[in-house]
Amino acid sequence: DAGVIQSPRHEVTEMGQEVTLRCKPISGHDYLFWYRQTMMRGLELLIYFNNNVPIDDSGMPEDRFSAKMPNASFSTLKIQPSEPRDSAVYFCASSRPPRGKRDQPQHFGDGTRLSIL
Amino acid sequence: AQTVTQSQPEMSVQEAETVTLSCTYDTSESDYYLFWYKQPPSRQMILVIRQEAYKQQNATENRFSVNFQKAAKSFSLKISDSQLGDAAMYFCAYRSGWDSGSARQLTFGSGTQLTVLP
């Protein structure tokens, strides 16, 4: 089975530019999560979707960030305009719905390392 | 809100020896799940082991085992017969139970960097 696929793996761009990160979850996974990892704040959730619907976006830092999931196999995280403080590794993860009490673990992509100059 | 604390920023262990990484958490929920993830320099997030709070038996996965103390809200990871490939950042994580109506996301600790010495 293919895992969670993220692209690009690395992105370097100048501040003020629009950045789009992409994620393809594992087929059959109804939950999709976007996390950000920085040295200062560690790993933190930005937003998550269930059946393509955003459920909790309280972690999205500000209006410059937006995320969409137009279908079950694709999601994007967009930053416009980008700023140097947005530099981080962005992870996408997906998981199945629960089966009774049995938890379904989250599977992570390899992340996108974003550098804003 | 739930919090996860890893008080050891760095640990080291001699190859073939045993090491224990500490994790404590704070929650008012009774139904939840706990995880240890490994992040090697390649930056992949790899699930090492998980524990359901309703289970009293400690989870084990080959050389990895946990000591889950629910009353103390402690969830330590023991790595036996350490190997060079175990060197990585280890994150403890918490997730609410599916019946709690709470968030589905993982809450992570700050991580412990494990070095394995040859």
Side-chain angles (χ1 to χ4, degrees), chain A residues 5-70:
Chain A
I5 299 172
Q6 290 187 246
S7 64
R9 186 155 172 80
H10 304 278
E11 175 87 14
V12 181
T13 192
E14 293 184 346
M15 66 177 292
Q17 297 298 307
E18 179 180 288
V19 173
T20 300
L21 310 182
R22 298 174 176 79
C23 176
K24 177 178 170 56
I26 294 172
S27 178
H29 284 197
D30 292 357
Y31 287 85
L32 183 140
F33 306 81
W34 282 100
Y35 292 91
R36 179 172 66 175
Q37 184 178 30
T38 61
M39 288 294 291
M40 292 296 294
R41 299 175 65 90
L43 275 154
E44 53 183 350
L45 179 81
L46 298 177
I47 186 171
Y48 80 92
F49 296 83
N50 179 213
N51 290 321
N52 313 337
V53 177
I55 303 300
D56 183 354
D57 65 355
S58 59
M60 296 286 265
E62 47 197 277
D63 292 344
R64 297 184 297 105
F65 285 69
S66 62
K68 294 181 180 179
M69 192 165 185

Side-chain angles (χ1 to χ4, degrees), chain B residues 5 10 15-16 29 35 38 45 54 62-65 69 73-74 76 82 85 89 92 97 108 110 117:
Chain B
T5 303
E10 299 176 344
E15 195 175 3
E29 297 174 338
F35 306 84
K38 168 185 176 180
M45 291 291 289
Y54 65 86
N62 300 315
R63 297 183 295 106
F64 298 86
S65 61
Q69 300 290 326
K73 296 180 182 175
S74 171
S76 60
S82 298
M89 181 74 87
C92 179
F108 288 92
S110 55
L117 305 169

Side-chain angles (χ1 to χ4, degrees), chain A residues 9 101-102 105 110-111, chain B residues 33 39 43 50 52 95 106:
Chain A
R9 186 155 172 80
K101 294 278 279 185
R102 180 71 173 160
D110 288 345
Chain B
Y33 303 87
Q39 187 178 39
R43 80 166 184 252
R50 61 182 172 177
E52 292 91 343
R95 185 178 189 174
L106 292 166

Side-chain angles (χ1 to χ4, degrees), chain B residues 23 25 34-36 51 66-68 73-77 92:
Chain B
C23 173
Y25 58 95
L34 297 165
F35 306 84
W36 280 98
Q51 174 81 41
V66 299
N67 184 4
F68 174 48
K73 296 180 182 175
S74 171
F75 182 62
S76 60
L77 174 70
C92 179

Side-chain angles (χ1 to χ4, degrees), chain A residues 57-95:
Chain A
D57 65 355
S58 59
M60 296 286 265
E62 47 197 277
D63 292 344
R64 297 184 297 105
F65 285 69
S66 62
K68 294 181 180 179
M69 192 165 185
N71 58 62
S73 60
F74 184 65
S75 176
T76 59
L77 178 67
K78 188 172 292 187
I79 309 172
Q80 168 63 22
S82 57
E83 297 183 2
R85 60 192 168 121
D86 302 330
S87 298
V89 178
Y90 291 81
F91 286 100
C92 177
S94 70
S95 72

